[in-house]
Amino acid sequence: MTDSPTAAPIRTAPATDATGVSAPDPRRWWGLVIIALAQLMVVLDATIVNIALPSAQKALGMTDGNRQWVITAYTLAFGGLLLLGGRIADLVGRKRTFIIGLVGFAVASAIGGAAQSPALLFGARALQGVFGAVLAPSALSLMTTTFTDPRERGKAFGIYGAIAGAGGAIGLLLGGVLTSYANWRWCLYVNIPIAVVAVIGAAILLHDRPGHSDVKLDVPGVILGCGGLVAVVYGFSEAEPRGWSDSLVLGLLAGGVVLLAAFVLWQMKAKSPLLPLRILADRNRAGCFLTMGLATIGMFGLFLFMTYYLQGILGYSPVRSGLAFLPMSASIIIGSTQISARLLPRTPPRLLMVPGMLLAASGLVVLTQLGVDSAYATHVLPAEILLGLGMGLTFMPVFSTATHGVRPQDAGVTSAMVNTSQQVGGSLGTALLNTIATSATTTYVGSHLTDPSRKAQVLREGIVHGYTQAIWWGVAAMLIAAVVSGVLIVARPTGRGGAPAAAAAAH
């Protein structure tokens, strides 16, 4: 059997399948390259500016208090508007939405790269998030409707899952290289050539039917759902600098929960709901959404801590720090494309997700043993490999299972829910784990600083102690994800050819 995706034969070629899509496009694998390129751009932009932030802060004169908006403005718009972006894809067509998202993202990146004031940079990052929220759901839903043969679907989603998992680490590496050898502005400008290539490729290679005329935009649902998500993501982001007991943080989180509760009630009676509750009623999809959210809590927390640990404790340069994440990216790619993609056609998804989450949790456990003098080769590298393999095993079946068999008119919003789970989990993980780490560091320094001459050493020890205490919470999130995927996800293997095997009773 050949492993080349371009040579993979189609066992059966029905005129239409469960999603109503016609026979496979002969150029679909080149289309996958375009979709993957766009997805990589969106994912890496969540982390690429992290390493460049000190340089940007100095160049534009940002204060320590408002510099976090370079990150928050993007995640806030992206996470809050994903559901709307998914519904727009269903309404006007996935290919058209995909191209609009690419063009808008490139324009926003150009504005941000040329920004001469903090406010303009913050606004450009928010605009990137808006168009990212349009782009990401259309990319995943194009994947869903393009690859329907079970074996090809496994390979395609393996590649997509690898990009989703490794994109953050690639962003750290690229950010370090561009900041060190070019300028921090190129962390934004780099999106322009990527988007240009993707727009040209999408126009030539991607095919999609027009939007569904029966899909209407649910305006009250947009206000309640997007408003609730924005409030929750904003609250998580503000918890990092302000603390969880701050009145603004509590008000945002409480208000977000109220809005989301009202959103659910409205969706029960809306004629054209923004998020049809039948999507959440499917236990396999609900399990995938929860698993994704919990998994990214630990993963995004790791990116944050390891960046500071490598540079602040081990003294790595930005480029060396980025290179240090490469083994994790490679492990994610191997776990997703070489293990999950090969096993999913004949293996129930939960038999990949549960071991994947346990493997990822074991990688985080290794990191809880970090000290100020720990070596990269003995502590960080083994943890990255374990975590990467675990995330690769998990992400691919999550994407494939969550979007499998969805109605064509719901493909965009279902894809948006997968991305929303990832984004909200990442925002929660960054805010929650960083707050825990800061508190643990303060407590440690206060109880161990008895000799003023050892202040610098105790502070370093306290910082690492804070990291390790917070990472234990990441371990807990991974273990809960293992339980969720083992209990809720009961889908059967997709099969190696022909029609997918029937799902187990999933309602």
Side-chain angles (χ1 to χ4, degrees):
M1 180 187 305
T2 179
D3 291 332
S4 170
T6 55
I10 305 295
R11 300 300 179 94
T12 60
T16 59
D17 65 7
T19 60
V21 180
S22 299
D25 187 319
R27 296 184 296 179
R28 60 196 174 281
W29 290 104
W30 285 108
L32 173 62
V33 173
I34 299 303
I35 294 170
L37 195 62
Q39 175 66 11
L40 177 63
M41 182 179 69
V42 172
V43 174
L44 66 81
D45 248 68
T47 58
I48 192 172
V49 299
N50 284 27
I51 290 179
L53 187 54
S55 299
Q57 180 181 358
K58 183 177 179 180
L60 298 182
M62 298 180 214
T63 66
D64 288 344
N66 69 14
R67 66 183 177 186
Q68 54 115 1
W69 279 101
V70 175
I71 309 297
T72 304
Y74 180 81
T75 58
L76 184 61
F78 186 59
L81 298 175
L82 272 165
L83 279 178
L84 177 59
R87 219 48 179 160
I88 290 173
D90 292 330
L91 181 63
V92 306
R94 303 174 193 94
K95 178 179 175 178
R96 185 182 302 172
T97 307
F98 184 76
I99 293 175
I100 291 171
L102 284 169
V103 173
F105 203 93
V107 171
S109 298
I111 295 171
Q116 297 299 318
S117 68
L120 187 57
L121 179 58
F122 300 157
R125 287 288 286 167
L127 194 60
Q128 278 186 309
V130 170
F131 284 104
V134 171
L135 179 59
S138 58
L140 183 53
S141 56
L142 280 168
M143 284 274 298
T144 302
T145 55
T146 299
F147 294 94
T148 54
D149 177 85
R151 189 173 60 157
E152 289 197 343
R153 183 180 175 87
K155 291 181 180 180
F157 275 87
I159 294 169
Y160 192 91
I163 290 171
I170 293 171
L172 293 172
L173 171 59
L174 190 57
V177 171
L178 292 173
T179 302
S180 297
Y181 297 111
N183 184 284
W184 68 267
R185 297 181 184 277
W186 278 98
C187 291
L188 294 163
Y189 286 146
V190 72
N191 294 319
I192 299 173
I194 295 176
V196 169
V197 172
V199 167
I200 295 172
I204 296 172
L205 298 169
L206 297 180
H207 302 283
D208 185 43
R209 294 183 302 181
H212 295 273
S213 58
D214 59 327
V215 176
K216 305 297 181 184
L217 198 57
D218 174 19
V219 176
V222 169
I223 296 172
L224 293 172
C226 295
L229 284 173
V230 166
V232 169
V233 174
Y234 187 20
F236 288 155
S237 300
E238 286 296 297
E240 183 180 340
R242 294 173 178 269
W244 289 97
S245 60
D246 182 80
S247 58
L248 175 63
V249 173
L250 293 175
L252 285 168
L253 294 178
V257 170
V258 170
L259 285 174
L260 290 175
F263 169 75
V264 172
L265 293 175
W266 171 253
Q267 298 305 283
M268 291 179 178
K269 61 180 182 179
K271 292 183 178 179
S272 299
L274 179 66
L275 174 63
L277 295 184
R278 59 179 174 271
I279 293 173
L280 298 179
D282 184 300
R283 64 185 293 170
N284 291 303
R285 291 196 183 96
C288 286
F289 298 150
L290 284 173
T291 299
M292 175 61 82
L294 289 164
T296 50
I297 286 177
M299 183 175 173
F300 276 75
L302 172 78
F303 286 151
L304 177 72
F305 296 141
M306 285 299 97
T307 299
Y308 282 107
Y309 180 80
L310 293 172
Q311 294 189 49
I313 304 299
L314 298 187
Y316 281 21
S317 67
V319 174
R320 192 179 179 190
S321 297
L323 290 171
F325 281 102
L326 280 184
M328 184 167 71
S329 298
S331 297
I332 291 173
I333 293 170
I334 291 170
S336 186
T337 64
Q338 300 304 309
I339 302 176
S340 278
R342 293 172 182 268
L343 294 179
L344 188 62
R346 57 182 182 274
T347 305
R350 65 177 172 184
L351 293 188
L352 294 172
M353 295 183 199
V354 173
M357 285 293 89
L358 295 177
L359 203 59
S362 68
L364 292 182
V365 168
V366 173
L367 289 178
T368 63
Q369 307 306 308
L370 282 176
V372 293
D373 299 318
S374 297
Y376 172 81
T378 57
H379 285 76
V380 180
L381 180 59
E384 285 188 3
I385 292 173
L386 289 171
L387 181 69
L389 286 173
M391 299 305 284
L393 280 172
T394 303
F395 274 178
M396 183 268 168
V398 163
F399 283 122
S400 181
T401 305
T403 57
H404 179 70
V406 69
R407 294 169 50 172
Q409 61 267 42
D410 293 334
V413 73
T414 303
S415 302
M417 272 302 300
V418 181
N419 284 283
T420 299
S421 302
Q422 184 178 15
Q423 190 61 37
V424 172
S427 299
L428 173 60
T430 301
L432 173 64
L433 299 187
N434 193 62
T435 303
I436 292 170
T438 302
S439 177
T441 295
T442 302
T443 302
Y444 182 94
V445 172
S447 60
H448 287 76
L449 187 57
T450 56
D451 182 358
S453 64
R454 295 190 66 248
K455 182 177 180 179
Q457 178 65 17
V458 171
L459 181 59
R460 282 164 54 87
E461 293 173 353
I463 290 172
V464 176
H465 173 75
Y467 294 164
T468 58
Q469 293 304 300
I471 288 171
W472 277 114
W473 288 80
V475 172
M478 297 286 191
L479 293 177
I480 295 172
V483 173
V484 167
S485 57
V487 172
L488 288 183
I489 299 173
V490 294
R492 290 164 56 184
T494 55
R496 295 192 62 81
H507 297 283

